[in-house]
Amino acid sequence: MHDWLREQLAQLRADVDAGTGQPRKLQAHCLTFCSALTTHHTGEDSGAFPELARQFPALKPVLEQLTQDHDMITILLNRLEQLDFTDQAEAQRELNGIEAIMESHFAYEERKIVEALNALDIPEWDNPEFLRQT
């Protein structure tokens, strides 16, 4: 899921950087990306993280930090969603902020909890469509 979100952000950035995208199309792409990232984090906060905390209590501080990151990312996504994308420099600044925080967050998450996540036995996680919805 992280790789797909990275690809979506990269495509949004490429469209903004090229300066050729129509503001409405950029806004639509932005909303799709923001919605997918929010859904992913909501799924982690309400599903994966509580289960990880139950099965791996030593991860609770890491999970709390990741949840705080989700809150910060939500604030940045809300700002991005408010853009009209007519100001390319402003859009680039907002994307820079989201990209930096999101990449740092993903790298930390992947480093700290990927082994525990892989140890969880949740059959629906094997379905790629399920993963795109969470």
Side-chain angles (χ1 to χ4, degrees):
M1 185 63 188
H2 287 180
D3 289 340
W4 183 82
L5 288 165
R6 286 175 174 119
E7 289 169 11
Q8 292 303 303
L9 181 58
Q11 182 60 53
L12 179 58
R13 170 174 293 293
D15 292 345
V16 168
D17 290 349
T20 57
Q22 297 173 351
R24 285 187 187 186
K25 286 184 180 181
L26 291 172
Q27 182 68 23
H29 189 172
C30 166
L31 291 175
T32 299
F33 166 75
C34 292
S35 176
L37 185 55
T38 298
T39 300
H40 172 67
H41 284 164
T42 301
E44 287 179 334
D45 291 344
S46 64
F49 289 0
E51 186 60 25
L52 284 172
R54 187 181 72 72
Q55 291 189 33
F56 303 96
L59 288 177
K60 283 182 182 180
V62 171
L63 299 170
E64 289 171 3
Q65 178 60 52
L66 291 169
T67 300
Q68 288 176 359
D69 287 355
H70 292 173
D71 294 339
M72 181 176 26
I73 290 169
T74 296
I75 291 168
L76 295 173
L77 292 176
N78 288 338
R79 286 178 29 184
L80 184 63
E81 288 176 351
Q82 300 306 311
L83 290 180
D84 64 9
F85 287 92
T86 56
D87 183 339
Q88 185 180 12
E90 180 183 21
Q92 288 170 328
R93 280 191 302 276
E94 292 297 329
L95 288 172
N96 287 343
I98 288 172
E99 185 175 41
I101 298 298
M102 187 183 87
E103 191 52 46
S104 173
H105 169 78
F106 284 173
Y108 180 71
E109 182 176 312
E110 291 161 357
R111 203 171 51 251
K112 295 291 188 176
I113 69 171
V114 74
E115 287 181 32
L117 276 172
N118 290 338
L120 293 178
D121 184 23
I122 302 176
E124 53 272 6
W125 285 8
D126 293 331
N127 179 344
E129 276 308 306
F130 175 81
L131 292 175
R132 286 197 190 270
Q133 297 170 7
T134 58

